[in-house]
Amino acid sequence: MKQKVVIKVTSLNGQKSRSKAMKIAVGVSGVESAALKGDDKTQIEITGDGMDAVALTSLLRKKVGHAELVSVGPAGGGDKKEESKPTETGPTIQSLEVLPYPGGVPYYVFAADRPYDPYYNNSCSIL
């Protein structure tokens, strides 16, 4: 899920510190875009998928200076799409085989499992 994070970094005084903060922000995995916003350009708005906002704030605090996490929320773009979610009715059996068993009791093997091999032994061979 895409999310939008706003982080306020109070020590963004010059162009050098702003570019350093932007490089750190876009270097984090999951970040798709970053932009400076606010009147004095001390807020960084970061949009991404699967990013850790707290870790990003801690990294900015460590590398640049005082950083404060202002808001975290879903990315509210103008192109909202309605996703149709499939309804789950429960597990379905795709293929079922009934194999003969010597005692007359049927032995069921599902197609998702391994193919039937009577010589397959899943025990420890070290003993």
Side-chain angles (χ1 to χ4, degrees):
M1 179 176 102
K2 279 192 175 187
Q3 57 181 322
K4 181 175 81 169
V5 177
V6 178
I7 300 173
K8 183 174 182 177
V9 183
T10 57
S11 61
L12 293 181
N13 297 329
Q15 184 64 30
K16 186 175 180 181
S17 62
R18 286 184 186 139
S19 65
K20 183 178 180 180
M22 291 291 283
K23 283 181 185 178
I24 292 169
V26 298
V28 174
S29 66
V31 173
E32 294 175 2
S33 67
L36 292 171
K37 73 179 240 186
D39 293 337
D40 50 356
K41 304 283 187 195
T42 59
Q43 292 183 348
I44 303 174
E45 182 179 296
I46 303 152
T47 306
D49 187 23
M51 62 181 174
D52 189 4
V54 176
L56 179 59
T57 306
S58 299
L59 188 62
L60 283 169
R61 191 176 293 137
K62 180 180 178 183
K63 300 283 185 175
V64 179
H66 180 71
E68 178 182 344
L69 186 60
V70 176
S71 69
V72 177
D79 55 333
K80 288 191 175 182
K81 297 178 183 176
E82 292 291 327
E83 294 183 16
S84 62
K85 296 181 181 176
T87 58
E88 292 285 330
T89 58
T92 59
I93 298 175
Q94 296 175 350
S95 174
L96 181 66
E97 260 183 82
V98 179
L99 299 174
Y101 192 74
V105 178
Y107 176 69
Y108 297 99
V109 176
F110 291 98
D113 295 342
R114 62 174 174 75
Y116 177 70
D117 184 11
Y119 300 108
Y120 180 74
N121 189 3
N122 194 13
S123 63
C124 183
S125 63
I126 298 175
L127 298 175

